[in-house]
Structure formats: C-alpha cells, structure tokens
Amino acid sequence: MSKTNSSEHDRKDLENYSEKGGRSAGIDIDPEAERKLVRKLDMIILPLFALIYCANFIDRTAIGNANIAGIQKDLGMKGFDYNIALTVFYIFYIACEIPSNLILKSVGSPWISFMVFVFGIVSLSTAFVHSYAGLLVTRVFLGMAEGGTLSGLTYLLARYYRRSELVLRVGIFFGLSPALAGAFGGLLASGLLSVNDFGVVKSWRKIFLIEGIITTIIGILSLFILPPDPADPINPTNTSNLSKLNLNQRINRLKLFKFTEEERKLAIARLDADQASHTMKTGGKKERTNWRLIWRSFSFTTTLCSFCYLLVNISFQGLSLFMPTVIATLGDFTTVESQLRTVPPYLVGALWAILCAYTSFRIRHRAGIILFSLLLMVLGYGIAVGTSVSAGHARYAACFFSIIGGSSTGPMLLAWGTGNAAPDTVRAVATALIPGIGALGSIIAVWTYLPTDAPNYHKGNSLNLGTTSLGCILVVVGWVYIKWENAKRERGERDYRLTQLTEDGKSVEEKEREIEELGYLHPEFRYQT
C-alpha cells in the first residue's frame, strides 16, 4: 500500500474513532440526575476538603502563634533562627509537590489520608522538642508531609467535577479554609494559652499538641470518607474473595461513601462530556504518565498562574505568619489580645473568597475577579507603606484589605490554572506546579518581616506592594494572551496539530493515544478567561 493510501486509510480510521466517541461510548446525561450527583459530591467532598486544608494551614502556621508565646526563648533561638526554621519547612514542601501528586494519580485518595495522618503526628511531636535542632527536624518532616496536600485535593476535585465547576469548589475549600484556619487558629491558640498546663506540656507546646491530635483524627476519618475514583471499574462490595483485591480496593469496601453503578457511569460521562473533542474521551481512565506530558505541563498559562501565585504568596503568607507580631506593635496588647485581633480579617476574607468564587462560577470568568482582588491587596499595602505604627487603626484596616484580597486570589489562580490544564497527567502536574512554585513566595515571605525592620516594617510592606502590583500586570497579560489564543483556534490556525498526526507513519493506535494526550493543545480546546 502506498504512503498516500496508508495515510488516507489512517485518517478514515481516526474519523471513525472520533465518531464513536474515543474509547468511551457516551451516555445521555440526565440533568436532574446530574444535579443530584453534584449535590451528593458537594455534601461529602467540600466539607471534608475544607477541614483537611484547615488542619494543614493551622499546623503550618501554628509556629507563628507559638512565636509570640515564647518558643524562641524556650529553645534558645536567636537572630534569624526563627526565619530559618520557616524556610526549611517550605524547601521540603516545594520539593514534594509534584512527586506527591504523581503518586496520588497512581494510588488514589488513600495517599491524601496518609499525608494528613503523618503531618498530624509530626505537629503533635513538635510539642515535645527541647532544642532548636529538634524543631528543624520536625519542620523538615512537616514540609514533606504537607507538600502535596493542596495540589492533591485540587487534583481530586478535577476527577469529580467539570472544568466550569472547579472554580466554585476550589474557592469554597481553598478560599474558606485559610481564612477560617487563620481565625480558628488564633482563637484556639489564645484559648489554649489561657487554660491550665497539661503536665509537662506548657505554654506554646499545648498549641502543637492539641492541633496535632485533631489533625491525626481527621487523617484517619478521611480514609473512610473520601469517595473512590469514578473510573474504578470494580465494585468491591460484590467481591467475596479478599485475597484478589489490592489495598485500594480493600479500603473501598470500608468507605462510608460509595458510588452506585449509575452514579459512577454518570460521573465518567460528565468527565468525558467536558473534553474538547470526542477523540479525547477516555471513559475516565488516566493516561500513562510519561516525561513528554510532564514537560508539556509547563504551559504558558500554568507558568503565569504559578508566578502570580508566587507573588501573592509573598504577601499573603508573610502577613499570615507574622500578623500576630505585626498587630502586637499597634498597641499595648497582651499575647491573647494580639491573637484575637488576627481573627476578624480572616473571617471577612473567607466571605470575600466565597463571593468571588460564586461570581466567577456564575459569569464563567476568572481574570477580572483576580485582578480586582489583587487591587485590594495593593490598596492594603499602600496604606501600610504610607503610615507609621502610630496610625494603629489605619494599619489594622490595611491588614483587612491585604488578607481579603489574598484570601480569594490564591484559590482563583489555582482554579484558573487547573481549568486550563489537560489531560490528566498535565493536570496532576499543573495542580502541583502552581502551589509548588507559589510556595517559593512563602520562602521569601519568611524574610519580609524581619526584627530589624520593626516596628514599622517599611521594607516588608514595600516589597509586598511591589509584588501585588506586578501580579496585576501579569493577570492582564494572561487575560490578553488567552483571548488571542482562543481567537486563533476559532480561525482554525491550530488545526495543523491534528493534521500532522494523520500524515505521519505511526499506527492508528499510536495516533489515537497522541490525540487523547493533546489536552490543552487540541484545536478544539478553549481556555477559560
């Protein structure tokens, strides 16, 4: 057969493959059944994910509350020892993001439960350290355990929800959790410092002990509450021979939430219906991880969202870690009074994060809302730079603006990047890459509010004003790029990517696989603005 005839034959085979809906024969989606399934997922997943990330955030920032409760004095810390301890955590946090998500893609949701359990144990252990070296060791293991939590939860959401639905769900669990965790962490810390000591566990040690115990319990419970992946074709409840089940399938038998067969098929149909083309439908199955897809994850939109996230993290995480210390400079407050004054900004931030996520979901738009929230942060740090510590009320108002803007911007950037990433491997890496690179901002944040800059913290606030201003510019650049790229696809200027696959000498099976792996590069894929 000539090369021309072979190419024409392959093209017809690919057309037939497309008409059949790829590997998965589509099923009609009943709107009422879909609403019931989404409602069921929301009731199970969102409260649990919010609780998990609350625990993650509280355990991570507990050291901020412990700092004003005397941890540096008790462990003989001096100079920049405290900042170094914070930096060590984020180094290992970043290093574990992508590997953790690739493990999650392979083994499923029990990996999340395992990580939550481990960082609960590590946090609990911090209550019993008696030296600076011991604190550094716990920060290393805490960073390794917490590294893949946010990215893993976001990846799991993408296995249950459509692209258009992600922003609201990410906004709820990620936008709500840090704000509530900041508020609850401050209340819990002030409460624990006010009660009697637990034997040898005194002062700041009570914060780590109680918060660690709570997190450990959440990790154990999540193992039985997290729903199985909808693509799992085996219903463990119908399998009597336990020896033939793998560990994940045995755990699925004990789960409190299970899909019915109809719900599982509907969940898969929803994932397939969300694909750009029939040729990208896989029946919910995950493609094989390979280096080409991992490298392809570093797209323009993912890179832009990652760098914007880094800039936001410099300001938001820095203020989160040091806000008790910053507020303490605004008046003659006791330790408990300083803790309590950190609560209101976080509560208002939580409400704003939910409002932004809901608005974005309804109008199907991300960039403009992100830009507005960033401008609130610019306003907050502008006030902080333009005032001194004597203007206590103005500076406290600046904390509100900065926390409110940061509470919504991080979740919106993560949802924006995740919604524009495909296929599954690319999405798994992107959901790790955005908070992973963003966590570099947390390392910088550790060094923004230095003791030598107290009490006005002019340098730290000026840096944060600059980073949030740059973030505004980058969001506009991303917005313009997406509109430009979508327009090119509408005009058919990216169709060559499919044409090339039908004209080379590869087998039909190889071409089918490569079409499925095109993901965001597929000519029919449209970026979300």
Side-chain angles (χ1 to χ4, degrees):
M1 184 181 293
S2 67
K3 183 175 181 179
T4 302
N5 290 337
S6 175
S7 177
E8 181 66 25
H9 182 265
D10 285 352
R11 186 180 291 109
K12 288 181 178 179
D13 282 347
L14 283 172
E15 288 172 355
N16 291 334
Y17 171 78
S18 176
E19 291 170 0
K20 292 175 183 177
R23 291 182 182 170
S24 174
I27 66 169
D28 292 332
I29 297 178
D30 176 21
E32 182 58 32
E34 184 177 20
R35 279 193 292 272
K36 289 182 179 178
L37 176 61
V38 172
R39 194 179 306 119
K40 185 175 182 179
L41 288 171
D42 286 345
M43 292 178 64
I44 298 295
I45 292 175
L46 295 185
L48 179 61
F49 279 22
L51 187 62
I52 288 174
Y53 197 63
C54 263
N56 176 289
F57 195 85
I58 288 174
D59 286 352
R60 186 194 323 167
T61 58
I63 193 169
N65 291 316
N67 184 39
I68 64 172
I71 190 173
Q72 293 199 52
K73 180 181 178 182
D74 290 351
L75 298 184
M77 297 163 61
K78 52 189 175 181
F80 296 118
D81 284 352
Y82 177 70
N83 302 76
I84 293 172
L86 297 179
T87 303
V88 166
F89 166 85
Y90 284 112
I91 290 173
F92 286 88
Y93 182 98
I94 294 166
C96 292
E97 286 271 12
I98 293 177
S100 176
N101 249 28
L102 293 177
I103 293 173
L104 173 63
K105 177 176 178 282
S106 176
V107 306
S109 59
W111 179 249
I112 289 287
S113 302
F114 172 75
M115 289 194 300
V116 176
F117 176 79
V118 170
F119 71 68
I121 292 296
V122 174
S123 181
L124 186 156
S125 302
T126 309
F128 301 98
V129 299
H130 292 281
S131 67
Y132 177 58
L135 177 66
L136 289 180
V137 171
T138 61
R139 298 302 289 180
V140 167
F141 284 104
L142 190 65
M144 293 173 65
E146 290 199 8
T149 307
L150 173 59
S151 54
L153 294 175
T154 306
Y155 168 75
L156 286 181
L157 281 181
R159 295 294 300 169
Y160 300 115
Y161 293 99
R162 294 175 181 258
R163 289 173 65 206
S164 61
E165 297 168 343
L166 274 179
V167 65
L168 180 58
R169 276 73 193 182
V170 173
I172 289 174
F173 99 82
F174 182 26
L176 196 63
S177 297
L180 291 182
F184 179 73
L187 287 173
L188 181 61
S190 61
L192 290 172
L193 292 174
S194 301
V195 300
N196 295 331
D197 296 335
F198 310 138
V200 296
V201 180
K202 303 177 181 180
S203 185
W204 55 268
R205 299 180 186 275
K206 293 181 289 186
I207 298 174
F208 289 109
L209 177 68
I210 300 303
E211 291 179 0
I213 291 174
I214 293 173
T215 301
T216 303
I217 294 172
I218 292 172
I220 295 172
L221 293 177
S222 69
L223 183 66
F224 305 104
I225 299 175
L226 278 171
D229 192 284
D232 188 351
I234 299 175
N235 187 350
T237 57
N238 294 333
T239 305
S240 57
N241 192 347
L242 288 177
S243 63
K244 294 183 179 180
L245 297 178
N246 60 36
L247 178 60
N248 210 12
Q249 292 162 352
R250 295 184 186 188
I251 293 173
N252 284 345
R253 289 174 62 91
L254 303 174
K255 287 186 178 294
L256 301 177
F257 173 90
K258 297 187 180 90
F259 287 113
T260 65
E261 187 60 23
E262 291 74 19
E263 288 172 336
R264 191 182 73 83
K265 289 179 179 179
L266 178 57
I268 291 173
R270 279 166 41 82
L271 293 177
D272 276 350
D274 215 26
Q275 299 303 317
S277 167
H278 289 300
T279 54
M280 295 171 65
K281 295 183 178 182
T282 62
K285 293 182 179 178
K286 306 170 186 176
E287 74 283 342
R288 189 181 183 88
T289 301
N290 58 64
W291 284 107
R292 179 176 60 185
L293 288 176
I294 292 175
W295 177 249
R296 193 179 290 171
S297 304
F298 293 79
S299 65
F300 177 83
T301 54
T302 298
T303 303
L304 183 135
C305 287
S306 299
F307 192 64
C308 286
Y309 196 102
L310 182 154
L311 296 173
V312 171
N313 248 6
I314 291 175
S315 57
F316 186 73
Q317 291 291 344
L319 193 55
S320 296
L321 288 168
F322 291 94
M323 194 156 72
T325 304
V326 172
I327 289 178
T329 66
L330 302 182
D332 187 18
F333 305 131
T334 65
T335 298
V336 172
E337 287 173 340
S338 296
Q339 301 281 9
L340 291 175
R341 279 172 172 76
T342 66
V343 175
Y346 283 111
L347 292 179
V348 179
L351 295 175
W352 178 255
I354 298 300
L355 177 62
C356 288
Y358 179 76
T359 303
S360 177
F361 169 69
R362 297 298 299 177
I363 67 176
R364 294 176 177 267
H365 180 74
R366 315 284 182 262
I369 297 175
I370 294 173
L371 179 62
F372 186 80
S373 292
L374 277 170
L375 289 173
L376 289 178
M377 298 184 76
V378 170
L379 175 60
Y381 287 113
I383 294 173
V385 169
T387 58
S388 65
V389 70
S390 60
H393 293 298
R395 286 209 146 192
Y396 191 45
C399 289
F400 271 87
F401 284 118
S402 301
I403 292 295
I404 289 169
S407 294
S408 61
T409 304
M412 292 288 293
L413 285 169
L414 183 55
W416 196 22
T418 302
N420 287 328
D424 201 71
T425 300
V426 173
R427 188 178 297 115
V429 175
T431 54
L433 198 63
I434 295 170
I437 292 179
L440 290 172
S442 301
I443 294 179
I444 299 172
V446 168
W447 301 92
T448 54
Y449 291 96
L450 298 175
T452 54
D453 197 26
N456 285 319
Y457 296 106
H458 183 77
K459 293 179 181 178
N461 289 323
S462 297
L463 173 65
N464 291 334
L465 177 61
T467 56
T468 50
S469 299
L470 178 57
C472 292
I473 296 172
L474 291 180
V475 168
V476 173
V477 170
W479 191 352
V480 172
Y481 167 79
I482 285 176
K483 292 179 73 67
W484 173 78
E485 177 63 27
N486 283 345
K488 291 181 75 70
R489 297 185 185 198
E490 289 290 345
R491 295 192 297 267
E493 296 178 25
R494 301 300 190 205
D495 290 353
Y496 67 87
R497 291 169 179 166
L498 282 180
T499 306
Q500 288 175 345
L501 292 178
T502 62
E503 292 180 350
D504 57 27
K506 297 178 181 178
S507 67
V508 173
E509 289 76 15
E510 289 177 305
K511 294 173 183 177
E512 291 173 357
R513 177 176 55 79
E514 289 188 4
I515 289 176
E516 289 172 357
E517 291 181 356
L518 276 177
Y520 70 87
L521 293 176
H522 197 286
E524 295 181 25
F525 184 93
R526 295 294 181 270
Y527 288 111
Q528 298 174 335
T529 57

